[in-house]
Amino acid sequence: MARSGETVVLRGRGLVGGVAEGEALVTREAISGWGGVEPRKGRVIESRHELVGQSFAGKVLVFRGAKGSSGWSGMFHMSRLMGSAPAAMVFTTMNTKIALGVVVTHVPAITDLDGDPFELIATGDLVRVDADRGELTITRRGG
């Protein structure tokens, strides 16, 4: 694992272009949209999820992917309209829910990384997502 202040660069496939930087919020779990997030505050409300009660608003959300109904994209679209969307999304499992979700959320999104984001990124790390170049830069803040 990287030391505090160390920078690691991963390459992947950008899905929605753009560049964003922010604090990482990391979970190895998939996130349910309908009934799993509260778009007004941009937080996870799924009762058994490890991020329950935490806000993804303005953060780089690093997660496995989307689960549940096709309402997933609608919930994240609403978070964008309410100003509480993530700054960017980094995920590992592609499906139709997340493909549509990242498009309607209008945030830089990247997948298919050449390293394991769950081993290299911790909640609180500074992450820069350059989806135009397919590049993810991680600056470790923890020890």
Side-chain angles (χ1 to χ4, degrees):
M1 187 148 279
R3 292 195 244 311
S4 181
E6 185 176 351
T7 300
V8 176
V9 178
L10 299 176
R11 302 211 188 304
R13 178 168 59 107
L15 295 172
V16 174
V19 178
E21 186 172 280
E23 179 182 322
L25 179 63
V26 181
T27 178
R28 289 179 178 267
E29 297 179 24
I31 295 176
S32 178
W34 192 266
V37 300
E38 197 280 294
R40 185 176 316 266
K41 295 184 181 177
R43 66 186 169 119
V44 177
I45 60 170
E46 185 178 346
S47 63
R48 295 185 180 178
H49 199 281
E50 68 178 329
L51 294 181
V52 67
Q54 294 188 51
S55 175
F56 52 74
K59 296 181 180 172
V60 176
L61 183 58
V62 181
F63 62 122
R64 190 177 72 197
K67 68 178 180 180
S69 73
S70 58
W72 198 92
S73 59
M75 291 294 104
F76 277 86
H77 174 69
M78 286 175 46
S79 75
R80 178 181 69 86
L81 295 175
M82 295 179 176
S84 61
M89 294 187 202
V90 177
F91 62 94
T92 58
T93 304
M94 172 65 83
N95 61 29
T96 56
K97 291 169 202 51
I98 197 159
L100 179 58
V102 297
V103 169
V104 300
T105 307
H106 297 281
V107 297
I110 194 166
T111 191
D112 297 337
L113 294 164
D114 61 1
D116 184 350
F118 305 117
E119 294 296 323
L120 297 169
I121 307 171
T123 292
D125 286 348
L126 179 63
V127 179
R128 182 176 190 270
V129 177
D130 184 340
D132 295 329
R133 298 179 61 188
E135 194 171 270
L136 182 68
T137 306
I138 306 140
T139 303
R140 296 284 299 161
R141 288 189 172 167

